[in-house]
Amino acid sequence: MTAGKSLYQALSDYAASDFYPYHMPGHKRNPAGGEMADYHKIDVTEIDGFDNLYHAKGILKEAQLRANRLYGADETFFMVNGGSCGVMAAVMAATEPMDEILIARNCHKSIYNAAILQGLIVRYYYPKMISDYDICDGASADEISVLLDSYPEVKAVVITSPTYEGVLSDIPGIAAVVHGRGKILIVDEAHGSHFGLSSHLPQGAIAGGADLVIHSLHKTLPAMTQTALLHVNGDRVDREKLRGYLCMLQSSSPSYVLMASMDSCMKFLEEQGQERFAAMRGHYESFCEKTVSLAHIHIGKMTNLSQKKHELKGWDLGKIVISVKGTNMSGKELADILREDYHLEMEMAAQTYVLAIMTLMDEATGWQRLADALCEIDGRIEESTDDAGSVPGKSALNRQLKSRMPLARAFHGEWETVPLQQAAGRVAAGFINLYPPGSPIVAPGELLDEVVIRQIEECRGAGLNIQGVSESGEITVVAS
């Protein structure tokens, strides 16, 4: 009944049949089930003919193989609990409890969560900053090499490429360094699910030689929120162990709606991806032509950095960093103007820039509206006469704090709550994150000092989204 069909087609055909559901889900595909009932018709469980995600042999195996053909990894797994699940499974499969792991400090909080669950000893790599745009640079293969020499017991290395703002690292170079020392390379490529799918795009971490690569499909491709892929290359990772963690960390009742969305996305990319990505490249180039004459607003580009030394090896054309650094306008103010006056909702606002995400699903009109709005706003901006000084949040993300105890010990120990201003000299029990992207300013086990407390207060004063500090200004610390 399902052979050769996409998952969505098979579910739709089943919904149109006269099979009656004497099984879960409880909505029973009854159209009287409320305003979301239209979606219930393809929401089934592991009934006959529809396979089992964790022991896939039929239609779900075919769907995962379709994704694998597109990306070219050795094996590809569907995930219905987002890229965070894939990151955690990857870290836990690549290590044993109490192992050492090296992670870039700008990694997503899910990697830190995996380290806590696994009781790992965490070593940090701190990427430098691209001061032109106040964003993190790519990871350095040379610096990672030095750190691996300093920490020879490290079992795996984790980096984020592209970063939230679209900066790409030298994956082949880093892979060579990591593999040369017998370690495992995990690349959180959540924001690069489109990489490697067209000659108009970067090749991505799979082709670059990473052992484990995580993609959040919903971030840059036409798939529903919470859909993700985990790719495996080579034999450095025990795949049975990886499958076990995926089964453990995901729901035992994976959503067929989400899995159908993933398979539908793969089918769409097979049929229309090349045409769509070529059009995206054209839209991007037109956008750059229309905004090249901006006097005060600056669009982040590799070409603007060509005369300076940076580690980035590319910049995702879908991540539009719109900088107002050095002007009398903040990123939040620009985002507010774009939202209120032009009905353009940005992905995020930082102190000196806003970030727009563009994908293969953005038509010419979306690119045009943003370019036109920026050209109009640019005429109303003036250069700042104030000394800009440090930028709230960015210097905090790159500051190396002293560690007083392992992540897991601090997180699982006894906590108490104290006002942030009185926390100097105390050891953090929880995370303090700048969100998005969710990278920690402070991690559990680290010693709080006056400098980082001031930086956190500056972030709060600038209206940035700080997680880990209550509305009343309190944080959790290890009980004394």
Side-chain angles (χ1 to χ4, degrees):
M1 181 172 64
T2 60
K5 298 179 181 179
S6 71
L7 182 56
Y8 177 77
Q9 289 171 331
L11 290 167
S12 296
D13 289 348
Y14 186 79
S17 73
D18 63 351
F19 275 88
Y20 190 88
Y22 293 94
H23 54 75
M24 299 182 287
H27 54 64
K28 296 301 186 88
R29 304 197 301 275
N30 188 327
E35 59 188 6
M36 295 288 287
D38 284 350
Y39 298 93
H40 295 167
K41 63 183 180 182
I42 61 166
D43 184 29
V44 302
T45 188
E46 291 93 343
I47 55 177
D48 186 54
F50 283 90
D51 213 354
N52 184 306
L53 179 61
Y54 307 119
H55 304 282
K57 297 179 180 179
I59 193 168
L60 295 181
K61 181 178 180 179
E62 293 174 9
Q64 291 178 104
L65 287 173
R66 189 198 308 274
N68 184 254
R69 286 195 301 271
L70 270 173
Y71 286 96
D74 289 350
E75 190 168 6
T76 298
F77 298 94
F78 274 11
M79 295 182 294
V80 296
N81 198 25
S84 294
C85 168
V87 165
M88 295 175 72
V91 169
M92 297 173 80
T95 60
E96 299 291 340
M98 302 306 295
D99 275 349
E100 292 186 28
I101 189 169
L102 175 65
I103 70 174
R105 184 66 181 210
N106 63 330
C107 281
H108 187 263
K109 60 185 178 181
S110 58
I111 293 167
Y112 295 80
N113 291 338
I116 289 172
L117 291 175
Q118 197 78 324
L120 301 178
I121 305 301
V122 179
R123 310 300 185 185
Y124 292 116
Y125 163 67
Y126 289 83
K128 294 182 173 60
M129 302 300 296
I130 299 175
S131 59
D132 302 62
Y133 301 107
D134 296 325
I135 61 177
C136 284
D137 199 355
S140 165
D142 290 341
E143 291 183 25
I144 288 175
S145 177
V146 171
L147 286 168
L148 289 177
D149 287 341
S150 299
Y151 303 113
E153 297 303 312
V154 160
K155 296 296 180 63
V157 175
V158 189
I159 65 168
T160 300
S161 178
T163 64
Y164 185 57
E165 293 87 2
V167 170
L168 281 69
S169 294
D170 175 16
I171 302 301
I174 295 170
V177 164
V178 173
H179 294 158
R181 289 164 173 77
K183 319 297 185 184
I184 293 170
L185 177 60
I186 302 169
V187 177
D188 181 357
E189 201 172 58
H191 282 268
S193 300
H194 51 305
F195 286 6
L197 300 180
S198 167
S199 61
H200 298 284
L201 303 170
Q203 67 171 208
I206 295 173
D211 300 290
L212 292 158
V213 179
I214 299 92
H215 284 149
S216 289
L217 294 182
H218 68 95
K219 286 180 167 60
T220 62
L221 294 175
M224 295 178 71
T225 298
Q226 216 167 301
T227 58
L229 301 174
L230 174 59
H231 308 277
V232 191
N233 279 323
D235 58 3
R236 295 181 183 86
V237 177
D238 184 333
R239 297 193 197 179
E240 288 307 311
K241 184 179 177 184
L242 179 64
R243 289 185 181 92
Y245 279 119
L246 283 172
C247 185
M248 182 187 302
L249 295 168
Q250 297 197 98
S251 169
S252 60
S253 301
S255 166
Y256 274 80
V257 177
L258 294 181
M259 291 188 289
S261 175
M262 285 188 270
D263 192 32
S264 176
C265 176
M266 298 302 105
K267 188 170 184 289
F268 177 85
L269 292 171
E270 284 182 332
E271 296 172 351
Q272 300 186 40
Q274 296 305 312
E275 178 183 351
R276 286 272 182 174
F277 285 124
M280 180 182 175
R281 167 63 69 177
H283 296 327
Y284 172 76
E285 291 174 353
S286 295
F287 173 83
C288 291
E289 289 176 7
K290 291 167 184 171
T291 56
V292 71
S293 60
L294 294 175
H296 306 291
I297 295 173
H298 299 286
I299 308 300
K301 299 187 190 73
M302 280 275 300
T303 52
N304 297 346
L305 304 171
S306 58
Q307 302 304 312
K308 302 177 182 179
K309 182 173 177 56
H310 293 288
E311 296 294 339
L312 78 166
K313 298 302 178 184
W315 202 324
D316 180 9
L317 59 84
K319 293 299 181 69
I320 311 300
V321 173
I322 306 166
S323 174
V324 289
K325 186 173 184 177
T327 74
N328 63 346
M329 181 180 289
S330 70
K332 185 178 186 305
E333 288 169 335
L334 176 58
D336 289 343
I337 291 170
L338 289 168
R339 179 190 310 108
E340 295 167 8
D341 296 350
Y342 297 90
H343 295 178
L344 304 178
E345 189 70 54
M346 297 295 101
E347 165 68 15
M348 65 90 71
Q351 180 66 9
T352 63
Y353 66 90
V354 299
L355 177 66
I357 293 182
M358 309 299 288
T359 77
L360 75 165
M361 302 311 296
D362 284 290
E363 305 292 353
T365 181
W367 291 87
Q368 180 70 51
R369 284 182 62 187
L370 181 58
D372 289 346
L374 294 178
C375 288
E376 287 186 15
I377 296 169
D378 188 66
R380 310 203 301 260
I381 295 180
E382 297 178 0
E383 291 186 11
S384 175
T385 57
D386 297 330
D387 182 8
S390 63
V391 177
K394 294 307 174 182
S395 55
L397 282 175
N398 216 34
R399 186 155 182 272
Q400 301 183 33
L401 298 176
K402 294 179 180 178
S403 178
R404 284 291 181 259
M405 63 182 68
L407 276 171
R409 181 180 163 196
F411 186 85
H412 292 303
E414 291 189 31
W415 295 10
E416 61 182 6
T417 302
V418 299
L420 176 62
Q421 289 107 340
Q422 299 175 22
R426 303 298 299 273
V427 176
F431 291 98
I432 300 178
N433 295 319
L434 183 63
Y435 195 88
S439 303
I441 296 173
V442 178
E446 292 181 336
L447 184 67
L448 293 148
D449 59 26
E450 295 287 355
V451 175
V452 76
I453 289 171
R454 184 173 67 252
Q455 289 170 330
I456 294 168
E457 290 287 16
E458 288 174 354
C459 290
R460 297 180 74 210
L464 302 182
N465 185 0
I466 297 293
Q467 297 181 336
V469 183
S470 70
E471 289 186 11
S472 59
E474 294 182 321
I475 64 169
T476 56
V477 296
V478 174
S480 57

